[in-house]
Amino acid sequence: MSSGKKSTARAPTAATRSSLKSHAATLTTVQAREALAVIFTIRLVNALCVRTFFQPDEYFQALEPAWRMVFGEDSGAWITWEWQHQIRSSVHPAVFAFGYWLVQNFWGPGIAPTVKAKWLIAAPKVLQTGFAALGDWYSWRLAEKLYGHGSVAAWSVLLMTLANPWQWYTATRTFSNCFETTLTAMALYYWPWDLLGTEDDGNASSKYSTIPLFKTWNQINKFRLSLVLAAFAVLLRPTNILIWLAIGTLALTRATLGGKSPLTRTNLLIVYREVFLCGSFVLGLSLLADRQYYGEWTFPPMTFLHFNLAQDLAAFYGQNDWHYYLSQGIPLLCTTITPFVLKGVFKSLDAEKSNWPLTTSNALKALTFTIIINIASLSIISHKEVRFITPLLPAFHILAAPYITSFFTSISDAAASARPAVNLGWKRNPLLAGGLLVNAVIGGYLSYFHAAAPIQVLDFLRSEFETIHPQHLALPRPTNSTPDYDFEQELFALFLTPCHATPWRSHLVYPELRARALTCEPPVGTAPRSAERAVYRDETRRFYDDQLGFLQELWPADRPGEDMARYIVGYEGVGPALRRYFDWSGPGARHKVELNEVWSSWNGLFTDDERKAGRLVVWATGFYDYTLPVEP
């Protein structure tokens, strides 16, 4: 029954609605920034925990050329054959060169060389921490864009990203694949997913939607940003183009997509225009950067494809079965969430039944299509590595999110786009705890213990150099110093390990610390499957084929050989050959070297290369301890 009083409630005015919308947008922005700060902190802890060696490209395809950019050609950087043949883009090393430049010019002057060395070692790690955090953050933001702001599925993506042992092991390393993954996640976030289809506009007379896609400059600018980021990712790793070819092909063919096509003539012209303009902009920057670095006009992505596809030189570094990415790549990349990834891929093919919004269901299909195209295409190439498919991780996590959420909580697949309730109704807690424990053990062991010796040995050698030659720590190398002929003939360290088994100048630091290691250049200029390529043996293989014979070639008895080393570094398996060579009755007895093991370190529970089995050892030769130098 009415009280007889007139209601005073009023509908919110347009100004009130605008204010509320603005307040919500501001709150969302603040929350996103706070989340980024937390993610960066976690990744910084992650970076501090990573003290192991994984693969050479972390250093030789990023930090060594970056070092040379800042400190010059006589800085001691090891420039590999890829850079000599202009296969790599200079854009990626330039990022880390900026970090070196900051240390050298802003923190370097006035501080002790030993302190500067530590800053130079840390600089790339801090930069990569920022890139890793951005990759995690944009993966989460993309999930929010598809599943809804603050949704359980979106938070699941962030948690999966942070708890993924592969990410913990590699995300803060300076691989081009890691930077490529960040650029890909950012480009996917800014991508206009409505290009794949829009809701029915009610116009049955046309198969094209009349809903405009690029109504504002903000929408066009986001599209441009996506294209620029994608173009840089392709420059970094040309195979990244497979992701964008897959999405573009799906948008044009509309295979399996729902809704009406928005690709009217106007929208297509805008898309083609922006692709041309953004592509030309990035290409121009790349050409200028590579012109500056190489000293001539060149286009590394084309050279990259020529050497790796036409010449098949990548096979020189190992060949894998066609099913490698299916049987090993995806399980290693996703570890404990692999079953949910596979379910997500399968379910996305029929996403309409999951009651997702049209844009979401089309985007999930597109992500699945990119995975299929990438795995199928990369499986054709004989040389395969898990990190080559790392840019697919955001897609894996997003596809798995609804199903891992419904498996461990009471929220159904379809409700995963809802905001988290106070009580999620956790279930299968022992299995969840077990999975997290497995991830922690894998990530912790690989990051902190496995193959830590290759990093530690360079810390030892650098420390020894600082102690023995404190007057030769200048960086960059001085040009007008008084010659020290006794010092100049000293080879401080000789690495008798597999090629690129340790970092190099990025950790040795000092240009005057002269070191030598075994090389492993591929047979450039030989035809694939030719007899010449079949019999080719690089220096590393020649050493391990006949260790004693190689030492005799290194220091021949009948002619001058290479300089003798103050320290020899090798895995313990080379110890017997060294002792036979330097023994008083051996071919190297004239050197009067008495090997003394001065450092060693355990290198892990297992290895993928039997040449790296056992401890990593440093032997002192005592050669430069004599008052009178002995000719090598």
Side-chain angles (χ1 to χ4, degrees):
M1 190 172 178
S2 172
S3 64
K5 294 183 179 181
K6 198 171 185 176
S7 173
T8 58
R10 295 180 181 177
T13 63
T16 303
R17 287 195 299 270
S18 176
S19 176
L20 290 172
K21 187 175 181 180
S22 175
H23 176 71
T26 302
L27 185 61
T28 299
T29 302
V30 171
Q31 289 174 339
R33 289 175 179 172
E34 290 175 347
L36 180 58
V38 172
I39 294 169
F40 178 82
T41 303
I42 293 172
R43 283 299 175 207
L44 186 59
V45 173
N46 181 182
L48 294 174
C49 291
V50 175
R51 58 174 205 139
T52 57
F53 182 88
F54 178 29
Q55 288 181 335
D57 283 8
E58 179 182 355
Y59 307 99
F60 293 92
Q61 303 303 342
L63 301 188
E64 292 300 305
W67 190 275
R68 185 179 182 178
M69 286 180 185
V70 177
F71 299 111
E73 293 186 5
D74 62 346
S75 60
W78 186 340
I79 304 302
T80 60
W81 70 276
E82 293 99 328
W83 296 94
Q84 296 168 15
H85 289 274
Q86 304 176 358
I87 289 178
R88 304 289 183 181
S89 169
S90 61
V91 172
H92 184 228
V95 173
F96 300 106
F98 175 69
Y100 288 143
W101 181 84
L102 285 177
V103 173
Q104 177 66 12
N105 290 279
F106 289 93
W107 295 298
I111 66 173
T114 54
V115 176
K116 185 201 287 188
K118 292 181 172 60
W119 277 103
L120 288 169
I121 293 170
K125 193 177 285 283
V126 174
L127 281 173
Q128 185 56 39
T129 296
F131 299 140
L134 283 174
D136 298 336
W137 190 70
Y138 272 101
S139 295
W140 168 58
R141 296 298 303 278
L142 175 59
E144 285 201 317
K145 193 174 184 179
L146 298 180
Y147 292 127
H149 174 69
S151 63
V152 183
W155 284 111
S156 295
V157 168
L158 181 58
L159 293 175
M160 279 189 285
T161 301
L162 295 176
N164 186 316
W166 177 266
Q167 282 288 80
W168 189 266
Y169 183 43
T170 65
T172 58
R173 299 181 185 270
T174 54
F175 288 117
S176 61
N177 310 92
C178 297
F179 194 32
E180 176 195 5
T181 301
T182 296
L183 293 175
T184 302
M186 296 171 71
L188 290 173
Y189 170 73
Y190 290 112
W191 181 260
W193 291 103
D194 285 341
L195 269 179
L196 301 180
T198 63
E199 299 287 352
D200 191 350
D201 59 355
N203 183 7
S205 61
S206 174
K207 65 177 182 178
Y208 295 105
S209 172
T210 58
I211 300 174
L213 286 183
F214 303 106
K215 294 181 293 184
T216 65
W217 281 110
N218 183 50
Q219 290 173 316
I220 293 177
N221 287 336
K222 285 184 177 180
F223 183 43
R224 287 172 176 169
L225 185 54
S226 176
L227 292 173
V228 168
L229 291 166
F232 273 117
V234 172
L235 281 175
L236 229 63
R237 302 283 305 180
T239 51
N240 190 269
I241 199 171
L242 294 170
I243 292 175
W244 306 103
L245 285 177
I247 294 175
T249 300
L250 200 62
L252 291 173
T253 63
R254 300 202 45 76
T256 75
L257 296 180
K260 297 185 71 172
S261 172
L263 296 179
T264 60
R265 176 177 296 181
T266 300
N267 285 335
L268 269 177
L269 287 175
I270 293 175
V271 169
Y272 290 147
R273 180 194 71 194
E274 297 304 329
V275 168
F276 175 77
L277 292 176
C278 294
S280 299
F281 170 72
V282 173
L283 179 60
L285 287 180
S286 172
L287 289 172
L288 289 173
D290 291 327
R291 173 70 175 81
Q292 177 68 24
Y293 181 77
Y294 288 113
E296 60 181 292
W297 294 108
T298 184
F299 188 49
M302 190 64 68
T303 315
F304 176 92
L305 293 174
H306 170 72
F307 274 92
N308 285 285
L309 297 181
Q311 294 294 315
D312 197 25
L313 283 174
F316 182 74
Y317 296 103
Q319 301 184 52
N320 305 87
D321 295 326
W322 67 268
H323 55 78
Y324 173 82
Y325 289 119
L326 296 174
S327 59
Q328 298 180 53
I330 293 176
L332 288 171
L333 202 63
C334 302
T335 56
T336 52
I337 67 166
T338 301
F340 304 105
V341 170
L342 297 177
K343 184 176 181 180
V345 168
F346 176 75
K347 288 284 189 178
S348 69
L349 301 175
D350 197 14
E352 292 86 352
K353 293 184 178 179
S354 299
N355 296 319
W356 300 119
L358 177 67
T359 300
T360 301
S361 64
N362 283 342
L364 295 179
K365 290 177 181 178
L367 293 178
T368 293
F369 192 53
T370 62
I371 291 171
I372 293 172
I373 293 298
N374 271 262
I375 297 296
S377 300
L378 295 177
S379 294
I380 298 172
I381 302 172
S382 58
H383 179 65
K384 304 175 181 68
E385 295 184 33
V386 182
R387 59 190 178 90
F388 293 170
I389 60 171
T390 301
L392 299 178
L393 257 181
F396 286 140
H397 289 150
I398 287 171
L399 289 168
Y403 308 104
I404 198 169
T405 299
S406 62
F407 189 80
F408 288 112
T409 72
S410 58
I411 296 176
S412 65
D413 300 346
S417 60
R419 289 175 176 267
V422 177
N423 184 5
L424 293 176
W426 294 98
K427 57 186 181 181
R428 301 184 177 95
N429 292 339
L431 192 59
L432 176 61
L436 291 174
L437 180 62
V438 168
N439 285 1
V441 169
I442 294 173
Y445 168 73
L446 292 176
S447 301
Y448 200 79
F449 298 105
H450 186 72
I455 306 296
Q456 295 169 349
V457 72
L458 296 189
D459 294 339
F460 169 78
L461 292 172
R462 189 177 63 254
S463 177
E464 287 292 291
F465 187 81
E466 292 166 350
T467 302
I468 298 171
H469 299 297
Q471 72 277 24
H472 293 285
L473 306 183
L475 184 68
R477 185 193 296 269
T479 56
N480 56 356
S481 59
T482 303
D484 183 347
Y485 298 108
D486 289 338
F487 171 75
E488 289 174 2
Q489 75 168 1
E490 177 184 323
L491 180 66
F492 195 78
L494 170 64
F495 289 79
L496 296 177
T497 62
C499 178
H500 301 145
T502 69
W504 200 246
R505 196 58 55 182
S506 63
H507 282 62
L508 290 172
V509 178
Y510 306 113
E512 294 191 88
L513 193 167
R514 196 158 65 93
R516 198 269 206 225
L518 302 177
T519 60
C520 55
E521 286 83 1
V524 178
T526 62
R529 293 175 294 279
S530 65
E532 186 181 2
R533 182 175 291 190
V535 300
Y536 175 80
R537 309 296 289 173
D538 62 42
E539 193 175 55
T540 298
R541 297 184 187 189
R542 288 193 291 109
F543 169 70
Y544 281 98
D545 287 343
D546 182 6
Q547 296 178 13
L548 190 60
F550 185 89
L551 294 175
Q552 291 177 272
E553 290 180 18
L554 202 62
W555 300 299
D558 57 348
R559 62 185 185 278
E562 297 194 20
D563 292 332
M564 180 56 65
R566 178 182 287 273
Y567 295 108
I568 297 177
V569 182
Y571 289 93
E572 58 182 319
V574 307
L578 287 172
R579 291 188 177 88
R580 287 198 305 273
Y581 178 80
F582 289 118
D583 187 74
W584 65 272
S585 60
R590 68 187 185 282
H591 302 299
K592 298 181 181 179
V593 164
E594 294 183 7
L595 289 179
N596 179 33
E597 184 178 311
V598 294
W599 181 92
S600 70
S601 180
W602 176 70
N603 200 44
L605 295 172
F606 57 88
T607 178
D608 60 349
D609 186 343
E610 61 180 13
R611 300 173 300 181
K612 298 179 182 180
R615 296 174 301 121
L616 186 61
V617 181
V618 177
W619 293 276
T621 64
F623 186 82
Y624 296 97
D625 297 336
Y626 293 110
T627 303
L628 296 175
V630 179
E631 290 297 326

